[in-house]
Amino acid sequence: MGKAKDLTGERFGRLLIIGKSSHKDGKNTHWDYVCDCGIAGHSYTSRLTSGQKSCGCHTKEAIGPRSITHGQTVGWKWTATYRCYRAMIARCIYPSQVFYERYGGRGIRVCDRWMHGEDGMSGYECFVADMGEKPRGLTIDRKDNDGHYEPGNCRWATQAEQMLNTSATKFTHEDRSNVIDLCRSGMSRSAISRAVGMSRTYVCQIIDKAA
């Protein structure tokens, strides 16, 4: 019998295959996937190649607006917590996602517990169990900016708190002094940003604070 084809990276409808699954089911080869709706799961080769197109959300949507997608809609809109969860996964696994290079592109991933679930709970249920519902006005933040999305490294934070936790804050006192000197020389803030390799937002914060 020939070696099973590696489906990693292939797409079946809404499903993106992210790797071979550890799930065992007789002789069937299972593959981990993430659905476009944000839910992670697994399925076996023949089911995928014979027409599976989603985690089940497509069928629920086809039933009509009364169907509650994964129990995380209000009316026909995703809840704030579910939107946050879906966006977190998207920026770590979809190269086409606008912020992918800052996350998945540099190795940041979502932990297995939040991706695939544990102890009979889905990945999303585990995420809510660990983090709680998203507080109004806050977004998910990693305490270690180079760490993964996982219990112990995540919190709900304000945008201001997240700014203090970005890679920009790793610049030295000398870097900050250079920004101020370049500003005093008449260089524009955008030009300074390019010259020192620092975000324009952070350059502005340094200059405004020094004023």
Side-chain angles (χ1 to χ4, degrees), residues 8-85:
T8 302
E10 293 199 22
R11 178 171 283 279
F12 296 87
R14 299 182 179 187
L15 304 180
L16 175 66
I17 306 302
I18 59 175
K20 192 172 182 178
S21 176
S22 60
H23 182 80
K24 302 295 183 182
D25 178 18
K27 295 182 179 180
N28 290 322
T29 299
H30 282 246
W31 302 90
D32 290 327
Y33 64 69
V34 175
C35 184
D36 285 350
C37 74
I39 292 297
H42 60 81
S43 188
Y44 50 90
T45 304
S46 60
R47 187 178 182 190
L48 290 165
T49 56
S50 64
Q52 183 179 2
K53 300 299 182 184
S54 76
C55 65
C57 58
H58 181 269
T59 300
K60 292 181 180 181
E61 291 171 9
I63 294 173
R66 292 185 181 181
S67 173
I68 307 301
T69 306
H70 304 295
Q72 288 303 317
T73 62
V74 176
W76 196 231
K77 296 181 180 179
W78 286 340
T79 65
T81 306
Y82 185 65
R83 286 198 304 271
C84 175
Y85 172 77

Side-chain angles (χ1 to χ4, degrees), residues 6 54 79 105-106 132 148 158 170 201 203 205:
D6 186 355
S54 76
T79 65
R106 66 185 189 91
H148 302 300
T158 64
K170 296 179 181 178
T201 297
V203 166
Q205 286 182 343

Side-chain angles (χ1 to χ4, degrees), residues 16 18 34 85-95 97 99-111 115 142 147-149:
L16 175 66
I18 59 175
V34 175
Y85 172 77
R86 185 178 184 276
M88 173 184 69
I89 291 177
R91 58 181 171 261
C92 289
I93 69 170
Y94 294 141
Q97 213 275 344
F99 295 123
Y100 175 79
E101 288 304 319
R102 301 183 190 176
Y103 296 89
R106 66 185 189 91
I108 303 302
R109 64 177 179 81
V110 180
C111 68
M115 279 288 290
R142 287 165 295 119
H148 302 300
Y149 285 104

